[in-house]
Amino acid sequence: MTGTMTNVMTLFVVFLGVFASFSLSAHGVDEDTKQFLTQNEGVSILPFIYIGAKHMVTGYDHLLFLVGVIFFLFRSKDVLLYVSLFTLGHSITLLFGVLSDIRVNAYLIDAIIGFSIVYKGFDNLGGFKRFFGFQPNTKAAVMIFGLFHGFGLATKIQEFNLPQEGLVPNILAFNVGVEIGQFLALGVVLILMSFWRRHGSYLQFSTAANTLLMSGGLMLVGFQLTGFFVS
Amino acid sequence: MKTNDKPNSINQNETQFNSIPVHSTATLIKASVAASAIAAIVLITAILPAEYNIDPTGIGKALGLTQIAEAASVIPDVEVSGSETVFAFGQTAPVNSKEIANAPSVGEIAQARQTPGVRSDTVKINIPAGKGLEYKLLMDEFVHLKYEWSTGGEELYFDFHGEPKGDTTGYFESFSITTSDKVKGSLTTPFAGAHGWYWKNKTDSPITVTLSTTGDYTIKG
């Protein structure tokens, strides 16, 4: 039993480490990408797909939310359904936000994204049932938070004042990239989680895991709100 | 495991999904307090010092984390930041980068002219067949630049132009637009910003431009 627990804890630490190591690059778009985005002229499908995918793979805030969403989804059918709802949500606002040039304050939207992680951690602990006596619709929640995550993605890409020429195909390509990146990252997360799920301690540690998830979300909220007030 | 009590759930999946453990109030409160405490500690001792140089406890400074925020605030807060990693379409070795100073006074310009060669660079830029590429230098206002480029015989369409620093409207000013295989000249920048060349290779084979520049600038690539 202790052996299993050690394994599980090791896995969990590695797992958190993977996210932590992205922390510095998570928000901005790195310098080379910035160079490309500001100099780009016209339609460039593949580069935008790549940038979108990279943003998602290194965007630990979106990934932490997804970890929360799939934490208690044990059937691939459910994972697919919930991830599709999330995808639908963020695609709508990503495209709508950029194309109609709606600019949301990046700090506020990222604070809401942080809050979505806290929400999901609390939800996974059964907090809503216990405290409020009812379970908010989990499908609706993932869809609604998906809409906020999409605005977050939209503000990132809008910071670059992309030229109008080729904007629509480029944004569509970026969105496709976001989905590819999400798919790849989710694959890794699911593999790690299904290893862990084989051990009985998955449920045993689920409280600790979701507490840490809430904690991570709260850190993001604090980080972004401080950014909002000091900038 | 509790059974699902959601009224409109119909299938088995739903039941299984919603049968997540519902913890006791004590556990929930403990979890929430622990989550908030961990978040508060990490925020105050690490994230805020490192990101914003806000360090109420002094721990961030002791751990050296505030250096990150301090280093970031030294970089001028302008759109054309001079501290970018320099690259030239993967063809050239990285060159030393330098931050753009404030625009020089007339005296400083005169001095800069007398001592040209604040730096000199020669780069090879590969223009793929049928493609156009830009190569830019970041310069202050009224700075002198000597340049020379050649392709080794193949003619290229080019537009030598400058984009004012901080401009978001897409405005640029062309200094010369023509087709040639080599150009030698100089420029005194009319405004601070990114100045450089757009070359368009209309042939079916790649062309390499060898560009030599001398002046006070930062390579943007």
Side-chain angles (χ1 to χ4, degrees):
Chain A
M1 187 61 202
T2 35
T4 337
M5 272 170 63
T6 322
N7 285 345
V8 167
M9 283 315 284
T10 315
L11 201 65
F12 191 59
V13 168
V14 169
F15 181 65
L16 288 179
V18 168
F19 287 115
S21 63
F22 288 130
S23 60
L24 284 175
S25 64
H27 262 227
V29 178
D30 61 279
E31 290 298 330
D32 286 357
T33 309
K34 207 164 157 182
Q35 289 259 6
F36 170 78
L37 286 174
T38 44
Q39 290 181 358
N40 178 63
E41 286 165 19
V43 179
S44 357
I45 301 294
L46 285 175
F48 274 90
I49 290 182
Y50 179 82
I51 295 165
K54 186 173 169 184
H55 184 84
M56 209 57 183
V57 170
T58 58
Y60 58 85
D61 46 358
H62 305 291
L63 292 178
L64 278 179
F65 180 68
L66 280 173
V67 167
V69 168
I70 63 175
F71 200 89
F72 284 115
L73 300 180
F74 295 96
R75 296 164 56 123
S76 32
K77 209 173 111 187
D78 290 329
V79 173
L80 199 68
L81 173 65
Y82 278 81
V83 172
S84 304
L85 283 170
F86 180 65
T87 301
L88 181 65
H90 72 229
S91 299
I92 289 172
T93 39
L94 167 59
L95 296 175
F96 179 70
V98 178
L99 297 181
S100 51
D101 203 26
I102 294 173
R103 283 165 193 258
V104 191
N105 184 290
Y107 288 113
L108 291 185
I109 200 77
D110 286 337
I112 295 173
I113 290 173
F115 175 73
S116 71
I117 300 166
V118 183
Y119 175 95
K120 199 58 214 174
F122 189 70
D123 191 26
N124 282 349
L125 291 170
F128 290 102
K129 270 187 192 164
R130 173 63 60 190
F131 280 153
F132 307 109
F134 87 107
Q135 173 63 50
N137 188 316
T138 45
K139 292 194 188 89
V142 83
M143 171 87 185
I144 291 165
F145 281 122
L147 293 172
F148 284 107
H149 282 246
F151 268 124
L153 293 164
T155 54
K156 297 289 154 1
I157 197 94
Q158 280 171 312
E159 280 165 16
F160 299 104
N161 297 309
L162 297 178
Q164 284 301 311
E165 191 201 337
L167 183 67
V168 174
N170 287 342
I171 294 306
L172 285 172
F174 179 79
N175 198 15
V176 169
V178 161
E179 306 320 333
I180 293 172
Q182 177 178 299
F183 180 77
L184 292 174
L186 203 63
V188 174
V189 169
L190 274 173
I191 289 166
L192 289 172
M193 282 177 84
S194 45
F195 269 117
W196 190 12
R197 278 171 178 171
R198 287 212 229 141
H199 303 276
S201 56
Y202 184 76
L203 287 177
Q204 205 180 321
F205 277 97
S206 68
T207 311
N210 282 292
T211 302
L212 286 174
L213 204 60
M214 278 175 75
S215 191
L218 285 169
M219 286 177 208
L220 283 173
V221 173
F223 168 45
Q224 298 298 343
L225 285 182
T226 309
F228 176 72
F229 288 114
V230 299
S231 70
Chain B
M1 289 277 152
K2 294 199 174 180
T3 48
N4 173 41
D5 55 0
K6 215 173 123 210
N8 57 356
S9 98
I10 11 144
N11 62 32
Q12 283 272 288
N13 289 342
E14 188 76 18
T15 314
Q16 192 184 359
F17 170 73
N18 278 325
S19 63
I20 57 174
V22 176
H23 296 281
S24 68
T25 310
T27 311
L28 272 172
I29 291 173
K30 254 189 260 173
S32 303
V33 170
S36 310
I38 296 170
I41 292 167
V42 176
L43 260 175
I44 292 169
T45 60
I47 299 177
L48 298 186
E51 300 287 344
Y52 303 119
N53 204 5
I54 297 174
D55 189 22
T57 60
I59 296 174
K61 196 168 181 64
L63 298 175
L65 291 172
T66 48
Q67 288 169 17
I68 300 172
E70 281 160 11
S73 65
V74 173
I75 298 165
D77 189 24
V78 289
E79 280 170 355
V80 195
S81 141
S83 65
E84 291 156 339
T85 312
V86 170
F87 75 109
F89 307 107
Q91 306 298 317
T92 54
V95 198
N96 294 333
S97 66
K98 181 176 151 294
E99 284 164 17
I100 313 176
N102 292 324
S105 67
V106 176
E108 283 166 341
I109 296 166
Q111 200 180 12
R113 289 260 179 102
Q114 281 160 10
T115 53
V118 175
R119 64 181 289 179
S120 282
D121 297 280
T122 299
V123 295
K124 286 191 185 299
I125 300 154
N126 189 38
I127 321 277
K131 298 269 182 185
L133 275 188
E134 283 206 344
Y135 187 85
K136 293 288 176 59
L137 304 173
L138 301 178
M139 282 184 275
D140 290 323
E141 201 177 9
F142 311 135
V143 170
H144 199 61
L145 171 78
K146 279 167 74 178
Y147 65 89
E148 185 173 359
W149 64 264
S150 63
T151 60
E154 307 89 344
E155 294 213 318
L156 280 174
Y157 165 84
F158 75 95
D159 179 352
F160 181 40
H161 63 279
E163 294 160 16
K165 178 162 97 177
D167 175 70
T168 54
T169 61
Y171 169 79
F172 64 90
E173 186 172 318
S174 289
F175 310 125
S176 60
I177 307 175
T178 183
T179 301
S180 179
D181 66 332
K182 59 174 181 287
V183 174
K184 184 175 180 176
S186 70
L187 169 75
T188 301
T189 55
F191 44 75
H195 302 271
W197 298 263
Y198 169 79
W199 288 284
K200 172 100 178 156
N201 179 357
K202 293 177 178 170
T203 70
D204 296 332
S205 48
I207 296 176
T208 302
V209 172
T210 306
L211 170 70
S212 300
T213 47
T214 301
D216 182 3
Y217 55 79
T218 306
I219 295 179
K220 187 184 178 198

